[in-house]
Amino acid sequence: MNFRRTAGLPRLPSPPSVEELIVGFDRGLRTLFARATSSRPYPDADMPEPDLTPEQRRHAAALMRVNHTGEVCAQALYQGQMLTARAPEVRRALARAAVEETDHLAWTEQRIEALGGRKSVLNPLFYFGSFAMGALSGIAGDRWNMGFLAETERQVEGHLTSHLDTLPDADVRSRAVVEKMRADEAAHARTAVDHGGAPLPAPIAGAMRAVAKVMTTATYRW
Ligand SMILES: [Fe+2]
Ligand SMILES: [Fe+2]
């Protein structure tokens, strides 16, 4: 993407090219409808499938559905942010982290299937909402783009910690996946800060938490 300067206004990214739009649309379709593949070994590889009660299984599958939707949102956010980010090194950092987010997508999808659960029917809605948020964040400039990413990753990290508190102890496979994801999200937050991410105003961080609450509550059920 090129940049244009308008007299008296901050530099704005040019509108995305047709090629960028096609690539973005293709990624969206693949995120929503194709099976994700992991570039790294699955964190729960070689672990035995746990013996859970029906209620534990249902609860664990619902939590992994929430996490899977979170990763669908991460894909969309990163795609939107990459489309409008300015500095090449920021776009490269986003692309590197996006590969790890694809791993998370594959890991959570596999756990949902093993637990006999299903993915959320709300994923397309959250994908397009998150894509728009990511693109707007990039338009605001790299400092805010990275700040938004750092705050998002920190909130996801906290959310995953809360899942470790409630996932059945016996479900060692889901726990291994969530623990590894949590470590990755913390690293993504550090990368965003290292790339100049500004602390977000408290009302914005609060609004993000409120949106996340709606997303997690809805996808636990649907
Ligand atoms: Fe993730
Ligand atoms: Fe992340």
Side-chain angles (χ1 to χ4, degrees):
M1 181 179 295
N2 298 317
F3 299 99
R4 63 191 161 88
R5 183 185 288 280
T6 308
L9 292 175
R11 274 174 17 133
L12 292 172
S14 305
S17 67
V18 172
E19 189 188 349
E20 285 174 315
L21 287 175
I22 291 172
V23 169
F25 188 65
D26 176 62
R27 288 205 177 160
L29 288 179
R30 274 190 281 140
T31 298
L32 290 169
F33 303 114
R35 173 175 285 276
T37 53
S38 180
S39 66
R40 293 175 287 171
Y42 285 70
D44 59 335
D46 305 327
M47 288 182 174
E49 191 57 38
D51 191 17
L52 303 173
T53 66
E55 178 52 30
Q56 285 176 323
R57 188 170 288 276
R58 188 202 60 75
H59 178 57
L63 292 179
M64 296 314 281
R65 175 167 59 247
V66 172
N67 291 331
H68 178 267
T69 299
E71 297 302 331
V72 167
C73 292
Q75 291 292 319
L77 274 177
Y78 275 91
Q79 291 306 319
Q81 288 182 287
M82 273 190 278
L83 207 59
T84 51
R86 287 158 169 75
E89 65 269 22
V90 165
R91 302 179 82 184
R92 278 195 292 274
L94 286 165
R96 274 195 301 274
V99 171
E100 295 191 347
E101 303 294 4
T102 305
D103 293 349
H104 299 173
L105 199 64
W107 301 346
T108 50
E109 191 172 347
Q110 187 222 43
R111 281 313 295 152
I112 290 172
E113 280 179 9
L115 290 160
R118 56 166 177 78
K119 294 190 270 185
S120 173
V121 297
L122 301 171
N123 283 345
L125 180 71
F126 285 118
Y127 185 92
F128 290 108
S130 301
F131 184 90
M133 286 293 298
L136 283 175
S137 160
I139 287 170
D142 286 342
R143 200 166 151 261
W144 295 114
N145 201 8
M146 289 293 98
F148 176 70
L149 182 60
E151 179 62 31
T152 302
E153 297 285 2
R154 278 194 290 262
Q155 290 191 15
V156 173
E157 185 189 351
H159 161 82
L160 293 173
T161 299
S162 76
H163 276 199
L164 288 170
D165 291 339
T166 176
L167 268 172
D169 288 339
D171 190 358
V172 288
R173 297 193 73 155
S174 297
R175 299 185 70 84
V177 165
V178 171
E179 278 172 8
K180 180 63 183 134
M181 281 167 53
R182 183 174 62 166
D184 287 348
E185 313 303 12
H188 297 163
R190 285 193 296 274
T191 300
V193 171
D194 291 345
H195 283 78
L200 296 189
I204 293 185
M208 289 165 65
R209 264 191 291 278
V211 170
K213 181 75 187 160
V214 170
M215 188 272 270
T216 53
T217 304
T219 52
Y220 185 88
R221 290 190 62 182
W222 300 300

